[in-house]
Amino acid sequence: MENEKYLQDIAEIKNMMNKSSRFLSLSGLSGILAGFYALIGAFLANNIIKYTYDSRYIIVRGQSNPITIESAIKQLFVIAAAVVILSIITGILLSRTKAKKLGESLWDVSSKRLVVQFAIPLISGGLFSLALLYQGYYGLIAPVTLIFYGLACVNASKYTLGDVKYLGLTMILIGLISTFFIGYGLFFWAIGFGFCHIGYGYVMFRKYDRK
């Protein structure tokens, strides 16, 4: 009996330490929705970049008036920004709901650590992508965003659910593979940010949210 109580106390202490050092209120449903947002964004972007182009214009199939490359890039940027903003808002709202159910605070020391560790690689990758865009290396933008997002997930996994690490490693792998298939970035982007997020979110929802 004493041994059982001792083991139970150790388990409780370990659980308390884990909660204090890790943000455990990530919502699996937010991952699923983020994946759907990404797929919708990829579909809209695909309608813009189905083209033959010269140095200035993009000629979209079925469109009589070609649009400039600069205009197309602005449209793609708006789509990408909308996907990111919707994903962030959804993640915050659903995580807040989950945190309330668990009796935890959404914004505490562990969540602050998570945000910092996630933001450093993500912001670095975003700035690098803007540099590539400025220099005209459009084909490398999709691989770079996938790789740096994967690095952000791996880096942040130390402060949240450990499963996030495997999502990050998958993203990095997809990003590296896509560097060998320049011109198909949107396809790999949809696989990574779309289907992988949906799959990850579903697993997390079944594993944690339904308890």
Side-chain angles (χ1 to χ4, degrees):
M1 291 293 293
E2 291 183 1
N3 288 336
E4 289 181 4
K5 187 177 183 303
Y6 177 71
L7 292 174
Q8 185 178 356
D9 290 341
I10 291 178
E12 289 179 359
I13 293 171
K14 183 178 179 181
N15 187 46
M16 291 175 61
M17 291 178 65
N18 196 38
K19 285 184 177 181
S20 65
S21 61
R22 288 173 177 260
F23 179 71
L24 304 177
S25 298
L26 285 181
S27 170
L29 184 58
S30 66
I32 295 174
L33 291 175
F36 278 114
Y37 298 153
L39 289 178
I40 293 171
F43 173 78
L44 295 174
N46 188 55
N47 289 332
I48 295 174
I49 64 175
K50 290 189 297 188
Y51 58 80
T52 55
Y53 66 93
D54 58 23
S55 60
R56 290 189 57 197
Y57 296 100
I58 290 179
I59 304 172
V60 182
R61 294 181 211 166
Q63 183 173 318
S64 57
N65 298 319
I67 60 176
T68 63
I69 291 177
E70 290 80 6
S71 177
I73 289 173
K74 288 179 181 178
Q75 293 180 45
L76 294 174
F77 181 81
V78 169
I79 292 171
V83 170
V84 172
I85 291 171
L86 279 173
S87 298
I88 291 173
I89 292 174
T90 301
I92 291 174
L93 292 176
L94 293 179
S95 293
R96 184 176 65 178
T97 301
K98 184 177 178 180
K100 285 183 178 179
K101 288 181 179 179
L102 296 174
E104 298 176 356
S105 173
L106 179 65
W107 189 245
D108 55 16
V109 175
S110 60
S111 59
K112 289 177 184 178
R113 287 200 201 104
L114 171 64
V115 170
V116 171
Q117 296 302 316
F118 186 76
I120 292 172
L122 197 67
I123 293 174
S124 300
L127 293 175
F128 186 34
S129 297
L130 289 175
L132 292 174
L133 182 64
Y134 178 77
Q135 296 295 339
Y137 295 109
Y138 308 123
L140 289 174
I141 293 176
V144 163
T145 54
L146 285 163
I147 291 170
F148 275 88
Y149 179 77
L151 290 172
C153 288
V154 172
N155 202 42
S157 65
K158 295 174 289 185
Y159 301 98
T160 184
L161 303 173
D163 306 82
V164 173
K165 178 180 179 180
Y166 300 107
L167 173 65
L169 293 174
T170 303
M171 290 288 191
I172 293 171
L173 179 61
I174 294 172
L176 291 173
I177 293 173
S178 68
T179 60
F180 294 94
F181 298 93
I182 300 300
Y184 295 89
L186 187 59
F187 171 76
F188 288 99
W189 202 86
I191 291 176
F193 290 109
F195 293 110
C196 283
H197 261 143
I198 292 172
Y200 159 80
Y202 177 75
V203 171
M204 293 301 98
F205 181 79
R206 292 288 300 261
K207 191 173 180 179
Y208 300 106
D209 294 4
R210 295 182 65 180
K211 289 185 178 181

Short mmCIF file of all heavy atoms in Angstrom, two decimals, residues 109-174:
data_model
loop_
_atom_site.label_atom_id
_atom_site.label_comp_id
_atom_site.label_asym_id
_atom_site.label_seq_id
_atom_site.Cartn_x
_atom_site.Cartn_y
_atom_site.Cartn_z
N VAL A 109 3.16 31.35 -18.03
CA VAL A 109 4.60 31.23 -18.31
C VAL A 109 4.86 30.21 -19.43
O VAL A 109 5.66 30.46 -20.34
CB VAL A 109 5.37 30.82 -17.03
CG1 VAL A 109 6.84 30.58 -17.36
CG2 VAL A 109 5.24 31.89 -15.97
N SER A 110 4.17 29.07 -19.39
CA SER A 110 4.40 28.02 -20.38
C SER A 110 3.96 28.45 -21.78
O SER A 110 4.65 28.19 -22.77
CB SER A 110 3.69 26.72 -19.98
OG SER A 110 2.30 26.93 -19.87
N SER A 111 2.81 29.14 -21.88
CA SER A 111 2.34 29.59 -23.19
C SER A 111 3.24 30.71 -23.74
O SER A 111 3.45 30.80 -24.95
CB SER A 111 0.89 30.07 -23.11
OG SER A 111 0.74 31.12 -22.20
N LYS A 112 3.78 31.54 -22.85
CA LYS A 112 4.71 32.59 -23.29
C LYS A 112 5.98 31.97 -23.87
O LYS A 112 6.49 32.40 -24.91
CB LYS A 112 5.06 33.51 -22.13
CG LYS A 112 3.92 34.40 -21.69
CD LYS A 112 4.31 35.24 -20.48
CE LYS A 112 3.13 36.08 -19.99
NZ LYS A 112 3.46 36.86 -18.78
N ARG A 113 6.49 30.93 -23.19
CA ARG A 113 7.67 30.23 -23.71
C ARG A 113 7.37 29.62 -25.06
O ARG A 113 8.18 29.66 -25.98
CB ARG A 113 8.09 29.13 -22.73
CG ARG A 113 8.75 29.61 -21.45
CD ARG A 113 9.54 28.47 -20.83
NE ARG A 113 9.78 28.70 -19.41
CZ ARG A 113 9.12 28.10 -18.43
NH1 ARG A 113 8.16 27.23 -18.71
NH2 ARG A 113 9.41 28.35 -17.17
N LEU A 114 6.19 29.02 -25.17
CA LEU A 114 5.79 28.38 -26.42
C LEU A 114 5.77 29.38 -27.57
O LEU A 114 6.31 29.11 -28.65
CB LEU A 114 4.40 27.75 -26.25
CG LEU A 114 3.72 27.22 -27.52
CD1 LEU A 114 4.51 26.08 -28.12
CD2 LEU A 114 2.29 26.78 -27.20
N VAL A 115 5.16 30.54 -27.34
CA VAL A 115 5.05 31.56 -28.38
C VAL A 115 6.43 32.04 -28.82
O VAL A 115 6.71 32.18 -30.02
CB VAL A 115 4.19 32.75 -27.88
CG1 VAL A 115 4.29 33.92 -28.86
CG2 VAL A 115 2.74 32.31 -27.72
N VAL A 116 7.30 32.29 -27.84
CA VAL A 116 8.66 32.78 -28.16
C VAL A 116 9.43 31.75 -28.99
O VAL A 116 10.03 32.08 -30.02
CB VAL A 116 9.43 33.13 -26.87
CG1 VAL A 116 10.91 33.41 -27.19
CG2 VAL A 116 8.80 34.33 -26.19
N GLN A 117 9.42 30.50 -28.54
CA GLN A 117 10.18 29.45 -29.22
C GLN A 117 9.61 29.15 -30.61
O GLN A 117 10.35 28.78 -31.52
CB GLN A 117 10.18 28.17 -28.38
CG GLN A 117 10.88 28.29 -27.05
CD GLN A 117 12.34 28.72 -27.20
OE1 GLN A 117 13.07 28.22 -28.06
NE2 GLN A 117 12.78 29.65 -26.37
N PHE A 118 8.31 29.33 -30.77
CA PHE A 118 7.68 29.11 -32.07
C PHE A 118 7.94 30.29 -33.00
O PHE A 118 8.15 30.12 -34.21
CB PHE A 118 6.18 28.92 -31.88
CG PHE A 118 5.44 28.56 -33.13
CD1 PHE A 118 5.50 27.26 -33.65
CD2 PHE A 118 4.67 29.50 -33.80
CE1 PHE A 118 4.82 26.93 -34.81
CE2 PHE A 118 3.98 29.17 -34.95
CZ PHE A 118 4.05 27.88 -35.46
N ALA A 119 7.94 31.49 -32.43
CA ALA A 119 8.04 32.70 -33.26
C ALA A 119 9.43 32.92 -33.85
O ALA A 119 9.54 33.43 -34.97
CB ALA A 119 7.63 33.93 -32.42
N ILE A 120 10.47 32.53 -33.12
CA ILE A 120 11.84 32.82 -33.60
C ILE A 120 12.11 32.19 -34.97
O ILE A 120 12.47 32.90 -35.92
CB ILE A 120 12.89 32.38 -32.56
CG1 ILE A 120 12.78 33.26 -31.32
CG2 ILE A 120 14.30 32.46 -33.15
CD1 ILE A 120 13.64 32.79 -30.16
N PRO A 121 11.93 30.87 -35.15
CA PRO A 121 12.15 30.29 -36.49
C PRO A 121 11.10 30.78 -37.50
O PRO A 121 11.42 30.97 -38.68
CB PRO A 121 12.02 28.78 -36.27
CG PRO A 121 12.16 28.58 -34.80
CD PRO A 121 11.61 29.81 -34.17
N LEU A 122 9.86 30.98 -37.04
CA LEU A 122 8.79 31.38 -37.95
C LEU A 122 9.03 32.77 -38.53
O LEU A 122 8.90 32.97 -39.75
CB LEU A 122 7.45 31.34 -37.22
CG LEU A 122 6.20 31.34 -38.12
CD1 LEU A 122 6.12 30.05 -38.91
CD2 LEU A 122 4.95 31.53 -37.28
N ILE A 123 9.39 33.72 -37.68
CA ILE A 123 9.67 35.07 -38.16
C ILE A 123 10.90 35.09 -39.05
O ILE A 123 10.94 35.77 -40.08
CB ILE A 123 9.84 36.04 -36.97
CG1 ILE A 123 8.50 36.19 -36.24
CG2 ILE A 123 10.35 37.40 -37.44
CD1 ILE A 123 8.59 37.00 -34.96
N SER A 124 11.93 34.30 -38.67
CA SER A 124 13.13 34.21 -39.50
C SER A 124 12.79 33.69 -40.88
O SER A 124 13.26 34.22 -41.90
CB SER A 124 14.16 33.29 -38.83
OG SER A 124 14.54 33.78 -37.56
N GLY A 125 11.96 32.65 -40.93
CA GLY A 125 11.55 32.09 -42.21
C GLY A 125 10.71 33.07 -43.02
O GLY A 125 10.84 33.13 -44.26
N GLY A 126 9.85 33.83 -42.32
CA GLY A 126 9.03 34.82 -43.02
C GLY A 126 9.88 35.91 -43.65
O GLY A 126 9.66 36.30 -44.81
N LEU A 127 10.88 36.40 -42.91
CA LEU A 127 11.77 37.43 -43.45
C LEU A 127 12.61 36.89 -44.61
O LEU A 127 12.84 37.58 -45.61
CB LEU A 127 12.68 37.96 -42.34
CG LEU A 127 11.97 38.74 -41.22
CD1 LEU A 127 12.95 39.11 -40.12
CD2 LEU A 127 11.30 40.00 -41.78
N PHE A 128 13.07 35.64 -44.47
CA PHE A 128 13.84 35.00 -45.55
C PHE A 128 12.97 34.85 -46.80
O PHE A 128 13.43 35.07 -47.93
CB PHE A 128 14.35 33.65 -45.08
CG PHE A 128 15.27 32.96 -46.04
CD1 PHE A 128 16.14 33.69 -46.84
CD2 PHE A 128 15.27 31.58 -46.16
CE1 PHE A 128 17.00 33.05 -47.74
CE2 PHE A 128 16.11 30.93 -47.04
CZ PHE A 128 16.98 31.67 -47.83
N SER A 129 11.70 34.50 -46.61
CA SER A 129 10.78 34.35 -47.74
C SER A 129 10.56 35.69 -48.44
O SER A 129 10.49 35.75 -49.68
CB SER A 129 9.44 33.79 -47.26
OG SER A 129 9.60 32.49 -46.73
N LEU A 130 10.46 36.77 -47.65
CA LEU A 130 10.30 38.09 -48.25
C LEU A 130 11.54 38.48 -49.05
O LEU A 130 11.43 39.10 -50.11
CB LEU A 130 10.04 39.13 -47.15
CG LEU A 130 8.66 39.07 -46.48
CD1 LEU A 130 8.59 40.09 -45.33
CD2 LEU A 130 7.55 39.33 -47.49
N ALA A 131 12.71 38.09 -48.55
CA ALA A 131 13.95 38.36 -49.28
C ALA A 131 13.98 37.59 -50.61
O ALA A 131 14.37 38.13 -51.65
CB ALA A 131 15.16 37.97 -48.43
N LEU A 132 13.54 36.34 -50.58
CA LEU A 132 13.46 35.55 -51.81
C LEU A 132 12.47 36.16 -52.78
O LEU A 132 12.71 36.20 -54.00
CB LEU A 132 13.04 34.11 -51.48
CG LEU A 132 14.05 33.26 -50.71
CD1 LEU A 132 13.42 31.91 -50.33
CD2 LEU A 132 15.30 33.01 -51.54
N LEU A 133 11.35 36.65 -52.25
CA LEU A 133 10.35 37.29 -53.08
C LEU A 133 10.91 38.54 -53.74
O LEU A 133 10.71 38.79 -54.93
CB LEU A 133 9.13 37.64 -52.22
CG LEU A 133 7.94 38.28 -52.91
CD1 LEU A 133 7.33 37.32 -53.92
CD2 LEU A 133 6.88 38.70 -51.89
N TYR A 134 11.65 39.33 -52.96
CA TYR A 134 12.25 40.56 -53.46
C TYR A 134 13.28 40.27 -54.56
O TYR A 134 13.39 41.00 -55.55
CB TYR A 134 12.90 41.32 -52.31
CG TYR A 134 13.60 42.59 -52.72
CD1 TYR A 134 12.87 43.74 -52.99
CD2 TYR A 134 15.00 42.63 -52.82
CE1 TYR A 134 13.52 44.91 -53.36
CE2 TYR A 134 15.64 43.80 -53.19
CZ TYR A 134 14.91 44.94 -53.47
OH TYR A 134 15.54 46.09 -53.85
N GLN A 135 14.03 39.18 -54.38
CA GLN A 135 15.06 38.82 -55.35
C GLN A 135 14.50 38.05 -56.55
O GLN A 135 15.23 37.78 -57.50
CB GLN A 135 16.15 37.96 -54.66
CG GLN A 135 16.91 38.69 -53.58
CD GLN A 135 17.75 39.84 -54.10
OE1 GLN A 135 18.08 39.89 -55.28
NE2 GLN A 135 18.08 40.78 -53.22
N GLY A 136 13.24 37.67 -56.49
CA GLY A 136 12.62 36.99 -57.62
C GLY A 136 12.76 35.48 -57.61
O GLY A 136 12.47 34.82 -58.61
N TYR A 137 13.16 34.89 -56.48
CA TYR A 137 13.28 33.43 -56.38
C TYR A 137 11.95 32.83 -55.90
O TYR A 137 11.85 32.27 -54.81
CB TYR A 137 14.42 33.07 -55.42
CG TYR A 137 15.78 33.50 -55.89
CD1 TYR A 137 16.44 34.56 -55.25
CD2 TYR A 137 16.41 32.87 -56.96
CE1 TYR A 137 17.70 34.97 -55.69
CE2 TYR A 137 17.66 33.27 -57.40
CZ TYR A 137 18.29 34.33 -56.76
OH TYR A 137 19.53 34.73 -57.19
N TYR A 138 10.94 32.95 -56.74
CA TYR A 138 9.59 32.55 -56.33
C TYR A 138 9.48 31.05 -56.05
O TYR A 138 8.72 30.64 -55.17
CB TYR A 138 8.58 32.94 -57.42
CG TYR A 138 8.67 34.38 -57.85
CD1 TYR A 138 8.89 34.74 -59.18
CD2 TYR A 138 8.53 35.41 -56.91
CE1 TYR A 138 8.96 36.06 -59.57
CE2 TYR A 138 8.62 36.74 -57.30
CZ TYR A 138 8.83 37.06 -58.64
OH TYR A 138 8.92 38.37 -59.01
N GLY A 139 10.22 30.25 -56.79
CA GLY A 139 10.11 28.80 -56.65
C GLY A 139 10.59 28.26 -55.31
O GLY A 139 10.23 27.14 -54.93
N LEU A 140 11.39 29.06 -54.59
CA LEU A 140 11.93 28.59 -53.31
C LEU A 140 11.08 29.00 -52.11
O LEU A 140 11.33 28.55 -50.99
CB LEU A 140 13.35 29.14 -53.11
CG LEU A 140 14.44 28.53 -54.01
CD1 LEU A 140 15.75 29.28 -53.81
CD2 LEU A 140 14.62 27.06 -53.71
N ILE A 141 10.07 29.82 -52.35
CA ILE A 141 9.28 30.33 -51.24
C ILE A 141 8.50 29.23 -50.54
O ILE A 141 8.48 29.15 -49.31
CB ILE A 141 8.35 31.46 -51.72
CG1 ILE A 141 9.19 32.66 -52.15
CG2 ILE A 141 7.36 31.85 -50.61
CD1 ILE A 141 8.38 33.80 -52.74
N ALA A 142 7.85 28.36 -51.32
CA ALA A 142 7.08 27.26 -50.71
C ALA A 142 7.96 26.33 -49.88
O ALA A 142 7.63 26.02 -48.72
CB ALA A 142 6.32 26.49 -51.78
N PRO A 143 9.11 25.85 -50.43
CA PRO A 143 9.98 25.01 -49.60
C PRO A 143 10.47 25.69 -48.34
O PRO A 143 10.51 25.08 -47.26
CB PRO A 143 11.16 24.69 -50.54
CG PRO A 143 10.60 24.82 -51.91
CD PRO A 143 9.60 25.93 -51.82
N VAL A 144 10.83 26.97 -48.44
CA VAL A 144 11.34 27.70 -47.29
C VAL A 144 10.27 27.83 -46.20
O VAL A 144 10.56 27.63 -45.01
CB VAL A 144 11.85 29.10 -47.72
CG1 VAL A 144 12.01 30.02 -46.51
CG2 VAL A 144 13.19 28.96 -48.43
N THR A 145 9.04 28.16 -46.59
CA THR A 145 7.98 28.30 -45.59
C THR A 145 7.70 26.97 -44.89
O THR A 145 7.47 26.93 -43.68
CB THR A 145 6.69 28.84 -46.22
OG1 THR A 145 6.32 28.01 -47.34
CG2 THR A 145 6.87 30.26 -46.71
N LEU A 146 7.73 25.88 -45.65
CA LEU A 146 7.51 24.57 -45.05
C LEU A 146 8.62 24.20 -44.07
O LEU A 146 8.38 23.72 -42.96
CB LEU A 146 7.41 23.51 -46.15
CG LEU A 146 6.10 23.47 -46.94
CD1 LEU A 146 6.29 22.68 -48.25
CD2 LEU A 146 4.98 22.87 -46.12
N ILE A 147 9.86 24.41 -44.50
CA ILE A 147 11.01 24.04 -43.67
C ILE A 147 11.06 24.86 -42.38
O ILE A 147 11.22 24.31 -41.28
CB ILE A 147 12.33 24.20 -44.46
CG1 ILE A 147 12.40 23.15 -45.58
CG2 ILE A 147 13.54 24.07 -43.53
CD1 ILE A 147 13.53 23.36 -46.55
N PHE A 148 10.89 26.16 -42.49
CA PHE A 148 10.98 27.00 -41.30
C PHE A 148 9.77 26.80 -40.38
O PHE A 148 9.91 26.87 -39.15
CB PHE A 148 11.11 28.48 -41.69
CG PHE A 148 12.53 28.90 -41.96
CD1 PHE A 148 13.08 28.77 -43.22
CD2 PHE A 148 13.32 29.41 -40.93
CE1 PHE A 148 14.39 29.16 -43.46
CE2 PHE A 148 14.63 29.79 -41.16
CZ PHE A 148 15.17 29.66 -42.43
N TYR A 149 8.62 26.52 -40.95
CA TYR A 149 7.46 26.21 -40.11
C TYR A 149 7.72 24.90 -39.35
O TYR A 149 7.39 24.79 -38.17
CB TYR A 149 6.20 26.09 -40.95
CG TYR A 149 4.97 25.75 -40.14
CD1 TYR A 149 4.32 26.73 -39.39
CD2 TYR A 149 4.46 24.45 -40.12
CE1 TYR A 149 3.20 26.42 -38.63
CE2 TYR A 149 3.34 24.13 -39.36
CZ TYR A 149 2.72 25.12 -38.62
OH TYR A 149 1.61 24.81 -37.87
N GLY A 150 8.29 23.93 -40.05
CA GLY A 150 8.65 22.68 -39.39
C GLY A 150 9.65 22.89 -38.27
O GLY A 150 9.51 22.31 -37.18
N LEU A 151 10.65 23.73 -38.51
CA LEU A 151 11.63 24.04 -37.46
C LEU A 151 10.96 24.72 -36.27
O LEU A 151 11.31 24.47 -35.11
CB LEU A 151 12.73 24.94 -38.03
CG LEU A 151 13.68 24.29 -39.04
CD1 LEU A 151 14.59 25.34 -39.68
CD2 LEU A 151 14.52 23.20 -38.38
N ALA A 152 9.99 25.60 -36.55
CA ALA A 152 9.26 26.28 -35.48
C ALA A 152 8.49 25.26 -34.63
O ALA A 152 8.48 25.36 -33.40
CB ALA A 152 8.31 27.32 -36.07
N CYS A 153 7.87 24.30 -35.29
CA CYS A 153 7.11 23.26 -34.56
C CYS A 153 8.03 22.41 -33.69
O CYS A 153 7.72 22.12 -32.53
CB CYS A 153 6.35 22.37 -35.54
SG CYS A 153 4.94 23.16 -36.33
N VAL A 154 9.18 22.00 -34.24
CA VAL A 154 10.13 21.19 -33.48
C VAL A 154 10.66 21.98 -32.30
O VAL A 154 10.76 21.46 -31.18
CB VAL A 154 11.30 20.73 -34.39
CG1 VAL A 154 12.39 20.07 -33.56
CG2 VAL A 154 10.79 19.78 -35.47
N ASN A 155 10.97 23.25 -32.52
CA ASN A 155 11.51 24.09 -31.46
C ASN A 155 10.48 24.30 -30.34
O ASN A 155 10.82 24.30 -29.16
CB ASN A 155 11.93 25.45 -32.04
CG ASN A 155 12.95 26.16 -31.18
OD1 ASN A 155 13.89 25.54 -30.69
ND2 ASN A 155 12.78 27.45 -31.01
N ALA A 156 9.21 24.47 -30.73
CA ALA A 156 8.16 24.74 -29.75
C ALA A 156 7.66 23.48 -29.05
O ALA A 156 7.03 23.58 -27.99
CB ALA A 156 6.98 25.44 -30.44
N SER A 157 7.95 22.32 -29.62
CA SER A 157 7.41 21.06 -29.06
C SER A 157 7.91 20.79 -27.64
O SER A 157 7.29 20.04 -26.89
CB SER A 157 7.76 19.88 -29.97
OG SER A 157 9.16 19.67 -30.03
N LYS A 158 9.03 21.41 -27.27
CA LYS A 158 9.56 21.22 -25.91
C LYS A 158 8.66 21.87 -24.86
O LYS A 158 8.76 21.57 -23.67
CB LYS A 158 10.96 21.84 -25.82
CG LYS A 158 12.00 21.16 -26.70
CD LYS A 158 13.32 21.89 -26.68
CE LYS A 158 13.24 23.21 -27.41
NZ LYS A 158 14.57 23.89 -27.50
N TYR A 159 7.77 22.78 -25.31
CA TYR A 159 6.94 23.53 -24.37
C TYR A 159 5.45 23.27 -24.57
O TYR A 159 4.62 24.02 -24.06
CB TYR A 159 7.23 25.02 -24.51
CG TYR A 159 8.68 25.35 -24.24
CD1 TYR A 159 9.58 25.50 -25.28
CD2 TYR A 159 9.15 25.46 -22.93
CE1 TYR A 159 10.92 25.77 -25.04
CE2 TYR A 159 10.48 25.73 -22.67
CZ TYR A 159 11.36 25.88 -23.73
OH TYR A 159 12.69 26.15 -23.48
N THR A 160 5.12 22.22 -25.33
CA THR A 160 3.72 21.86 -25.52
C THR A 160 3.63 20.35 -25.74
O THR A 160 4.53 19.61 -25.36
CB THR A 160 3.11 22.65 -26.69
OG1 THR A 160 1.72 22.36 -26.78
CG2 THR A 160 3.80 22.32 -28.01
N LEU A 161 2.58 19.90 -26.39
CA LEU A 161 2.40 18.48 -26.65
C LEU A 161 3.56 17.96 -27.51
O LEU A 161 3.88 18.54 -28.55
CB LEU A 161 1.07 18.25 -27.37
CG LEU A 161 -0.19 18.75 -26.64
CD1 LEU A 161 -1.41 18.60 -27.53
CD2 LEU A 161 -0.38 17.99 -25.33
N GLY A 162 4.17 16.88 -27.08
CA GLY A 162 5.33 16.34 -27.78
C GLY A 162 5.03 15.92 -29.21
O GLY A 162 5.94 15.87 -30.05
N ASP A 163 3.76 15.65 -29.52
CA ASP A 163 3.38 15.22 -30.87
C ASP A 163 3.63 16.31 -31.91
O ASP A 163 3.75 16.03 -33.10
CB ASP A 163 1.90 14.83 -30.91
CG ASP A 163 1.58 13.78 -29.86
OD1 ASP A 163 1.37 14.15 -28.69
OD2 ASP A 163 1.56 12.59 -30.20
N VAL A 164 3.70 17.56 -31.46
CA VAL A 164 3.96 18.68 -32.38
C VAL A 164 5.30 18.48 -33.07
O VAL A 164 5.50 18.91 -34.21
CB VAL A 164 3.91 20.01 -31.60
CG1 VAL A 164 4.35 21.17 -32.49
CG2 VAL A 164 2.52 20.27 -31.08
N LYS A 165 6.24 17.83 -32.38
CA LYS A 165 7.56 17.58 -32.96
C LYS A 165 7.46 16.77 -34.24
O LYS A 165 8.17 17.05 -35.22
CB LYS A 165 8.43 16.84 -31.93
CG LYS A 165 9.82 16.48 -32.44
CD LYS A 165 10.60 15.75 -31.35
CE LYS A 165 11.99 15.36 -31.83
NZ LYS A 165 12.76 14.66 -30.77
N TYR A 166 6.58 15.77 -34.26
CA TYR A 166 6.46 14.90 -35.43
C TYR A 166 5.81 15.63 -36.60
O TYR A 166 6.14 15.40 -37.76
CB TYR A 166 5.67 13.64 -35.06
CG TYR A 166 6.34 12.87 -33.96
CD1 TYR A 166 5.82 12.86 -32.66
CD2 TYR A 166 7.53 12.18 -34.19
CE1 TYR A 166 6.46 12.18 -31.64
CE2 TYR A 166 8.17 11.49 -33.18
CZ TYR A 166 7.63 11.50 -31.90
OH TYR A 166 8.28 10.83 -30.89
N LEU A 167 4.88 16.55 -36.29
CA LEU A 167 4.33 17.41 -37.33
C LEU A 167 5.44 18.25 -37.94
O LEU A 167 5.55 18.38 -39.16
CB LEU A 167 3.24 18.32 -36.76
CG LEU A 167 2.69 19.39 -37.72
CD1 LEU A 167 1.95 18.74 -38.89
CD2 LEU A 167 1.76 20.35 -36.98
N GLY A 168 6.29 18.82 -37.08
CA GLY A 168 7.40 19.64 -37.56
C GLY A 168 8.38 18.87 -38.42
O GLY A 168 8.80 19.35 -39.48
N LEU A 169 8.74 17.67 -37.99
CA LEU A 169 9.67 16.85 -38.78
C LEU A 169 9.07 16.49 -40.14
O LEU A 169 9.78 16.46 -41.16
CB LEU A 169 10.03 15.58 -38.00
CG LEU A 169 10.86 15.79 -36.73
CD1 LEU A 169 11.01 14.47 -35.98
CD2 LEU A 169 12.23 16.37 -37.07
N THR A 170 7.78 16.23 -40.16
CA THR A 170 7.10 15.93 -41.43
C THR A 170 7.13 17.13 -42.36
O THR A 170 7.39 16.99 -43.56
CB THR A 170 5.64 15.51 -41.16
OG1 THR A 170 5.62 14.40 -40.27
CG2 THR A 170 4.95 15.12 -42.46
N MET A 171 6.88 18.31 -41.80
CA MET A 171 6.92 19.54 -42.59
C MET A 171 8.32 19.78 -43.18
O MET A 171 8.46 20.17 -44.34
CB MET A 171 6.51 20.73 -41.72
CG MET A 171 5.05 20.76 -41.35
SD MET A 171 4.00 21.18 -42.75
CE MET A 171 2.44 21.43 -41.91
N ILE A 172 9.33 19.57 -42.36
CA ILE A 172 10.71 19.75 -42.83
C ILE A 172 11.01 18.80 -43.98
O ILE A 172 11.60 19.19 -45.00
CB ILE A 172 11.71 19.53 -41.68
CG1 ILE A 172 11.55 20.64 -40.63
CG2 ILE A 172 13.15 19.51 -42.20
CD1 ILE A 172 12.34 20.40 -39.35
N LEU A 173 10.60 17.54 -43.84
CA LEU A 173 10.84 16.55 -44.88
C LEU A 173 10.13 16.93 -46.18
O LEU A 173 10.73 16.86 -47.27
CB LEU A 173 10.35 15.18 -44.41
CG LEU A 173 10.49 14.02 -45.41
CD1 LEU A 173 11.95 13.81 -45.76
CD2 LEU A 173 9.88 12.75 -44.85
N ILE A 174 8.87 17.35 -46.08
CA ILE A 174 8.12 17.76 -47.28
C ILE A 174 8.79 18.97 -47.92
O ILE A 174 8.91 19.05 -49.16
CB ILE A 174 6.66 18.08 -46.91
CG1 ILE A 174 5.94 16.80 -46.47
CG2 ILE A 174 5.92 18.70 -48.11
CD1 ILE A 174 4.56 17.05 -45.90
#
